[in-house]
Every structure is written in C-alpha cells, then in structure tokens.
Amino acid sequence: MPIDPASWVTPDDYPIEALNANEGGTLVMTMQVDARGAVTGCTIAQSSGSAALDATGCRLMRERGRFTPATDAKGQPIASSAQRRIKWNAPNSSRGSLDPFAMVVRLTLGKDGTILDCSTTSSAPNGDSVQACLKKNGRYAGFVELNLSRFGPGILTLANMLEVEGTSFTPGPTVRAAMEIPPYFSQVDRVTVDANGKVASCERRSSSGEGVEACSFPVTYEPKPDQPVRRATMTYNMAFQPAR
C-alpha cells in the first residue's frame, strides 16, 4: 500500500528540458520494494515519450516512494513490486493558439554549479506560461536534472524561441541578445501542424547529433479548418559565460 503518494510528485518537479520542449505524456513505472517498504529499483513499463520525464519519474519514486511492506503467509514483511502511473501535463499543453514567443532563463552559478539566482525574460504572452524559476526547499527545483557541476561561476543562459511561418514576430532586445550568445548546445525542431491542431510531423537537428532525426512534440493547438498545414520552428540554445 503506497504511503502518501500525492506528495511523491509536485508541479515543481517538472524538468526544465521538458518544460522548454513542451513535452508531456503518461508514464508507467514498475518499482521494486524491499521488506521495509522502500523503493529499491524502478523500470519503465510505458514511456511518456520524453527521456527527461521518464528519468525524473523514476528518480522521484526512488527518493520519495514509500509503501506499507507486503507480508507473507506468516505476516512477515517481504520484498514486492508495484506500479505507479504519472500523467505529466506540460504547462503549455492545452489547446492554445499557435503563436510565436521567446523566453530566456538566466541562471547565475556559483562554485560547483550551485544556482545563486534565476530570472526570466519573455516576448509575447505565451512566453509567460513557463514558470522556470520555482523554488522548493530553498532550491530552484526546475533544474535538478541538469548537470551543472561541470560549470564554474558564471551565467548559464537558456534561450527558447518559437517562430511561426507567415506570422510576423520580433522578440525584445533582451531576448535577441541572448539568442546571439554563441551556444555550447543548440537544438532546432521544425514542426508541421494539421487542420485539427495536431502536430503531424517533427524533425530535429541538434549540435550533439548527426543530421536530422524524428522528434516528439506532444502539443495540441486550436483547430484551424481553413489552414490544413501550419509550420513552426522551435529553437533552443544553451550558452555559458564564465565569471571574470
């Protein structure tokens, strides 16, 4: 029997990579539970479609999952297994309009990648929907999956921009300046949206990959029966500027 399962996953646990990519989906995990009721292992029974969400789900189960131990015929505690389902709903996953936006998250890092400060800047209303700088227990919870220990003191800039074909959009000067910082990682997703608002195709090119590959873009937009094909491009850059 799970103990207080509602506390195992909170909105603040949504990984920043999935937020920026607007990823969501249903994750099913199989957990190994020891005789004390602690989760000792976790495997993916059904992927959410997002590597970041899958990894976060299993990590949270191992850290927070607790059960009343199963018992044998003599009433003695024994090891067992259990399943848990998480429905990850991206903050932008509702049927919104396909409008351009841009958002920049700036992380001020200290020694060993410790986050000292977090700030956001956005252009267009859609950029306000991602709450990246959320704190939990004194920590910026949205960045726990990023390996920031490889960075020293400095500024880590995460820039995200959605451009829609046929729609004029000029991001603010702060966002433009952030997008122009030479990135150490970049990713471009080109998507096609059908008349029902569903993403019909997604192609990804990233600085860490080779060539173009298919990608998941689990977002549904408002239907446009008079527009059978709409095209958009999502650009994501990460740049680091060491402190002087």
Side-chain angles (χ1 to χ4, degrees):
M1 180 72 69
I3 300 173
D4 193 21
S7 67
W8 295 358
V9 183
T10 73
D12 290 347
D13 295 315
Y14 223 107
I16 187 62
E17 311 98 291
L19 283 172
N20 284 330
N22 217 10
E23 294 176 337
T26 300
L27 168 65
V28 180
M29 300 157 290
T30 299
M31 294 168 284
Q32 290 72 53
V33 183
D34 66 17
R36 299 172 301 162
V39 175
T40 57
C42 177
T43 57
I44 306 299
Q46 176 186 308
S47 173
S48 66
S50 163
L53 295 176
D54 290 354
T56 299
C58 265
R59 177 182 60 79
L60 294 174
M61 294 305 101
R62 288 190 293 266
E63 290 179 357
R64 302 175 187 169
R66 292 293 182 271
F67 291 79
T68 301
T71 56
D72 60 16
K74 297 181 180 179
Q76 297 300 310
I78 58 172
S80 61
S81 63
Q83 278 203 336
R84 178 72 174 172
R85 181 187 301 266
I86 300 176
K87 188 173 182 180
W88 294 105
N89 291 314
N92 289 344
S93 62
S94 60
R95 280 181 172 257
S97 56
L98 182 60
D99 295 322
F101 76 87
M103 188 182 76
V104 173
V105 179
R106 278 192 177 83
L107 301 177
T108 302
L109 304 182
K111 187 179 179 180
D112 299 325
T114 303
I115 301 175
L116 304 178
D117 189 39
C118 176
S119 64
T120 60
T121 303
S122 63
S123 292
N126 281 4
D128 295 331
S129 60
V130 176
Q131 301 298 323
C133 296
L134 298 175
K135 270 192 170 183
K136 182 178 180 181
N137 298 326
R139 299 177 59 197
Y140 291 103
F143 306 97
V144 293
E145 292 300 311
L146 289 180
N147 179 18
L148 301 180
S149 61
R150 53 185 161 165
F151 301 107
I155 303 295
L156 180 64
T157 303
L158 314 175
N160 194 18
M161 181 164 66
L162 178 67
E163 299 172 280
V164 181
E165 186 178 282
T167 302
S168 178
F169 173 61
T170 302
T174 302
V175 174
R176 290 200 307 271
M179 296 296 291
E180 292 171 359
I181 300 173
Y184 78 87
F185 172 79
S186 62
Q187 178 176 293
V188 177
D189 291 348
R190 301 186 188 279
V191 301
T192 301
V193 179
D194 63 21
N196 295 318
K198 181 180 179 182
V199 174
S201 66
C202 178
E203 293 182 340
R204 173 172 296 168
R205 185 185 294 274
S206 72
S207 58
S208 61
E210 295 182 2
V212 178
E213 59 183 2
C215 52
S216 173
F217 207 85
V219 185
T220 303
Y221 297 100
E222 64 178 358
K224 291 282 187 179
D226 59 331
Q227 297 182 36
V229 177
R230 288 174 284 171
R231 294 182 176 87
T233 301
M234 177 73 81
T235 303
Y236 176 57
N237 290 341
M238 299 180 70
F240 180 68
Q241 298 168 291
R244 295 181 180 179

